[in-house]
Amino acid sequence: MDKEQKLSKRKNEDGCILETLYCTGCSLQLGYIYRCTPKDLDFKRDLFCLSAKAIESYILGSSEKQLVSEDKELFNLESRVEMENSLKQMKDVLEALQMQLMKVESKLFSPKI
């Protein structure tokens, strides 16, 4: 976190004072934390606002104390897309099975003439 505070230049954020967030590893600018806000923007005070374009993955904790062990695979945007695709495929299979089951049930319980 850069301790130098600056005024926000974003639209509708007049009076907001920000501190810039940087990656400790590569020094890339990651976003901001709102330190001072006008009354109508108090909900943003002490809020970390991360730039989605700058973040590939996030590990909770500091570089000295990691809450996620290094041998575990991180959940990132790529793995999220893979997981969403798998869930869609499972949903499609379940819907097809449900249709087949409805056909079988309709034949079993239909009145015989």
Side-chain angles (χ1 to χ4, degrees):
M1 217 175 319
D2 186 0
K3 292 298 178 188
E4 182 181 332
Q5 297 180 338
K6 51 186 155 186
L7 284 170
S8 175
K9 296 177 183 174
R10 294 179 180 205
K11 186 178 180 181
N12 300 324
E13 288 191 356
D14 295 330
C16 289
I17 296 176
L18 311 169
E19 289 177 4
T20 307
L21 301 171
Y22 293 99
C23 174
T24 55
C26 67
S27 300
L28 179 69
Q29 183 176 328
L30 301 176
Y32 300 96
I33 182 169
Y34 288 80
R35 289 300 186 191
C36 184
T37 57
K39 193 170 188 96
D40 62 323
L41 295 175
D42 275 352
F43 66 94
K44 286 189 173 188
R45 188 172 304 136
D46 296 324
L47 185 72
F48 288 86
C49 294
L50 303 174
S51 170
K53 291 179 183 178
I55 309 272
E56 182 178 311
S57 63
Y58 180 74
I59 298 175
L60 295 175
S62 70
S63 60
E64 294 146 7
K65 181 181 176 187
Q66 293 184 348
L67 297 179
V68 177
S69 66
E70 291 180 15
D71 60 338
K72 290 188 179 179
E73 186 177 331
L74 296 176
F75 185 74
N76 58 31
L77 185 59
E78 189 176 284
S79 60
R80 177 183 173 165
V81 169
E82 290 175 18
M83 188 176 290
E84 286 174 347
N85 288 339
S86 294
L87 287 171
K88 183 178 179 342
Q89 289 175 343
M90 286 187 266
K91 181 182 175 191
D92 293 343
V93 168
L94 286 173
E95 287 175 353
L97 288 171
Q98 184 179 19
M99 291 296 290
Q100 293 289 28
L101 181 61
M102 287 171 57
K103 286 180 186 176
V104 169
E105 286 177 341
S106 70
K107 288 179 182 176
L108 286 174
F109 299 110
S110 64
K112 297 187 178 166
I113 303 176

